[in-house]
Amino acid sequence: MLQVCPNGTRTEGVPVSPEEVAAAVRAAADVGAQDVHLHPKDGSGADTLDALHVAETVAAVRARTPTIGVGVTTGAWTAPDPAERAALIRSWTVLPDHASVNFHEAGAEMVAEALFERGVAIEAGIFSGTDAAERFLRWPHAHHVLRILAEVTDTAPETATGTAKALLHAIGTRHSRPILLHGEDGGAWPVLRLAVRHNLDVRIGLEDTLTLPDGSPAGDNATLIQTARALLAP
């Protein structure tokens, strides 16, 4: 599975408004993206879980690309108090297909439970260099998540794949869930190549990197997806 991540926490050079995000996802889907992980933004461009902004962005993407799976972030930066994040999730009027929960963050289990209550599938975010894998594997509902989002925060191209291998070892296989492995910035393309070799789900987009494998500017999400598709080809 090839997922596009069109914006992330970035505020410049990425799609921000619902219309911009929807257009970027449509273009990415046209060249092979099968799923999207996006960050709804408020009027200032900051990430938000506010029901209105989530509804506008998810609905706009579905209107342009009705066949794509739509996921959103629930990162702690959107609202530091996990109880507030859970309450915001319960207030959503338009539900995404899935949402990521970062298991190194305080209250991750509470946020995940709120998503389960709403019938929203979970991408379990397991960051390298944290205790997220241990916390996730202790969680009684680990085997119920949609997939594991193995997130390599090591941005050095020389070491990112080693960090990714260590993260995969920490996650293990007893959870029996699919794994999407991705890196960021300088580590994005080396980690994507590793994921392809291991037949794992992959993602790419302007959230993860602004450049192509040769270091040149990517320009847009569709170009990144098209490049990744070439690496996925047998």
Side-chain angles (χ1 to χ4, degrees):
M1 188 273 289
L2 176 57
Q3 183 184 78
V4 63
C5 48
N7 52 8
T9 57
R10 305 183 198 270
T11 56
E12 296 183 3
V14 299
V16 173
S17 72
E19 295 75 19
E20 290 170 343
V21 174
V25 173
R26 175 74 258 183
D30 285 345
V31 293
Q34 300 160 294
D35 193 88
V36 57
H37 165 85
L38 58 84
H39 291 215
K41 307 282 188 177
D42 63 17
S44 69
D47 289 1
T48 181
L49 297 183
D50 174 77
L52 176 61
H53 295 297
V54 171
E56 289 178 339
T57 305
V58 172
V61 170
R62 286 188 176 140
R64 292 288 295 270
T65 316
T67 58
I68 202 164
V70 182
V72 303
T73 184
T74 65
W77 57 88
T78 59
D81 181 355
E84 181 182 357
R85 294 202 304 282
L88 286 166
I89 289 166
R90 293 186 178 102
S91 75
W92 287 350
T93 56
V94 175
L95 298 177
D97 298 295
H98 55 80
S100 62
V101 178
N102 299 325
F103 269 79
H104 67 284
E105 295 174 350
E109 297 84 356
M110 181 189 303
V111 173
E113 292 290 347
L115 290 167
F116 275 144
E117 289 176 18
R118 299 304 312 275
V120 178
I122 293 170
E123 287 187 320
I126 312 297
F127 280 48
S128 63
T130 72
D131 65 349
E134 181 181 352
R135 283 184 58 185
F136 171 71
L137 293 172
R138 286 201 309 264
W139 186 46
H141 305 295
H143 58 293
H144 288 147
V145 302
L146 174 66
R147 68 177 66 94
I148 293 171
L149 191 59
E151 311 203 44
V152 180
T153 59
D154 181 353
T155 60
E158 303 82 7
T159 57
T161 55
T163 301
K165 290 175 183 177
L167 178 60
L168 291 173
H169 178 75
I171 293 170
T173 58
R174 61 188 175 91
H175 47 76
S176 72
R177 305 315 302 147
I179 295 176
L180 188 160
L181 176 67
H182 78 99
E184 57 187 49
D185 295 324
W189 291 109
V191 171
L192 187 144
R193 291 189 182 95
L194 178 68
V196 171
R197 291 198 297 271
H198 285 266
N199 199 30
L200 302 174
D201 292 338
V202 298
R203 87 175 200 187
I204 202 72
L206 294 176
E207 172 176 354
D208 287 348
T209 183
L210 301 176
T211 61
L212 297 171
D214 64 2
S216 61
D220 57 31
N221 286 285
T223 301
L224 289 168
I225 289 293
Q226 202 163 26
T227 305
R229 275 297 302 272
L231 295 175
L232 287 167

